[in-house]
Every structure is written in C-alpha cells, then in structure tokens.
Amino acid sequence: MLFRSLTVCSLALVSSACAGDALPGDGEEALATGTQALYAGVNGDACTASPYNCKLRVSGGNRVATNDPDDDDSWGLVVGVPVRNGHGEVVATSNRTRSTFNHGQTRTFAGETHVFAVSTSNSSAGWMPLSSILGQESFASKVGHVSALGAGLNKLGCYAVRNTHDPVLELKKVVYDSDAVHERAGDYLPLVRANGQRSANLAFNVPGFGLGGPAVDHFPAGTKFQRLDVPTDGGAPSIDVPLWVQDSEGRYRKQSGTMKFLYGYVIAATGTKRNGWMAYDALEVSSGCP
C-alpha cells in the first residue's frame, strides 16, 4: 500500500494536530495518506513524500533473503557471540539460533564485519558478526550496502534519544488496518531492552507508506541526533504519519493522533555518521551535537 502526501491541516480528522504542536521551522507537516506513485530520489529510486524517504531497494523486500523462497528470511546463527549497538558497545551475548537481517546494512566493529539483525537477544535490533551466520558466504553475496545520505542539508535543532517513552503511544499502529505483531509506534521509541537500558531505532524510511520503515541502526538513550532540513513533498522538514487504534471490530482503523518523524544523523562513538529518520517522540531537545 502506497501513500500520497497532504498537509495535516487539510484533513478534518487530524485538525487538532494543527494547533500549537509544530516544531520551529515546520509549519504544516506532511501527512501520510492516500496513494502516490514512487519516484527516484536521493536515498533511492523508489521514494515518496520526500526524496530522502525511499525503499532500501527498488525490488525485493527489506530483508536479506535466504536461498529458500518458502522460508521467513531467517538465517541460522552461532550462539555466544556479542550483540552491539550503533556505538559498537556490547549490549548482549546472543543466545538465538535464528534471526532476520535488513538489506544493505554492514559496519565494522572490533576489526570484523557486522550485519544488522532485526531482532536479537537484547530484545532489540542490533549488530552481529557476519561470522556468526550459518552460510555466511551466501549471506555476504546477498547483503549489499545501502546508506542514507545527508550532504548539503542544513542543520536544524539538536536532539538526544530520550530515557523515557509513552506506554500508551507505544501500542498504537503506524500502519492502517495492521494485523502484524509489530508495525507499532513502539518500534520507533526508546524502549527498555533486555540489558535494562533504553534504546531506539534509526530508520531508513518513515513507516506507513508501504516502504517498510526498516531500522538501519540502533542507539541508546542519550545519543545525540542532529536534525537536518530535509525537503518533503509537503514542504515541511518533517513527515507526520497517522496512528491507529482498534475500532469496534477490533481492527486498527480508527485514527488516534499522528507521529512525527525527523531526518538527521548520529555520529557514532566509532566516528561513523549514520543518516536516517527518528520519531520526534523518541527525542528530546538537547545541545552539543557534532
């Protein structure tokens, strides 16, 4: 399902979002709704709502596929290896025998190539050694490399990942009529993980557009996020997506507010710059961004 971009204030069902909630420089935010063809942009050749809001790849899903077309894209794993966050910090020792991995995401930690697992023993996404994957040669031939860009975009505010989250917001869906286990606002909030620490996803694109909203990195509370003045089809340097709660039939078709996404970057402790989208509700105003 694809979406077209409208301003928040043009839709009566979200008119409450127009009063006093805008960030400096935002004006009217772009709201995900309707349908629109994808177009070539900066972060890929299949974009919508912004040239920086694009699929990880034009064809194929967001996962690194296995050789079995009938499986769930999960790869067998060696247990006992470290799981790292985006700063390269070890946050868990893996006890999982399988996981799925997002396409195009590779980084080097401790002198070894790591790939980005959607779910880990830390109850979060995270980086795992390529060497821990059973069939690593096949995986390496498939994973590719994709990074979001940001050169030439002006800086806006400085933020940091919050050390709190709204538990009510967590359970709302970011995809209309979703019946998935996830596709929740909580996927983009700084939740408490298995190690007792809060951390949040940096996403390649914004959820709710049929692009998948895949995470491409994962950072702990306190991490600085430098917001960038990203162009959007709606004109504002941010994108709002509707949130959905259950209707009388138990389906997620009743709108309950919106969720704002900002574009920017994190400079990891390793010195690597990682561009992407983060939920405004995952952030707090800060200072000292690099």
Side-chain angles (χ1 to χ4, degrees), residues 264-282:
Y265 65 81
V266 170
I267 301 292
T270 59
T272 300
K273 178 185 283 189
R274 297 288 286 168
N275 290 283
W277 297 87
M278 291 199 80
Y280 177 61
D281 294 285

Side-chain angles (χ1 to χ4, degrees), residues 15-68:
S15 61
S16 62
C18 303
D21 193 31
L23 295 177
D26 275 348
E28 294 181 344
E29 283 71 22
L31 178 70
T33 187
T35 59
Q36 177 179 308
L38 301 179
Y39 56 82
V42 176
N43 279 346
D45 291 328
C47 311
T48 188
S50 168
Y52 291 82
N53 188 48
C54 311
K55 292 181 65 176
L56 278 174
R57 51 183 173 172
V58 174
S59 60
N62 291 316
R63 308 288 189 248
V64 180
T66 66
N67 292 325
D68 184 353

Side-chain angles (χ1 to χ4, degrees), residues 63-76:
R63 308 288 189 248
V64 180
T66 66
N67 292 325
D68 184 353
D70 296 323
D71 73 6
D72 59 357
D73 291 336
S74 67
W75 292 78

Side-chain angles (χ1 to χ4, degrees), residues 11 14 16 51 64 71 122 135 138 183 196 231 233 238 257 268:
L11 296 178
V14 291
S16 62
V64 180
D71 73 6
N122 193 40
S138 176
E183 295 184 343
D233 296 355
S238 62

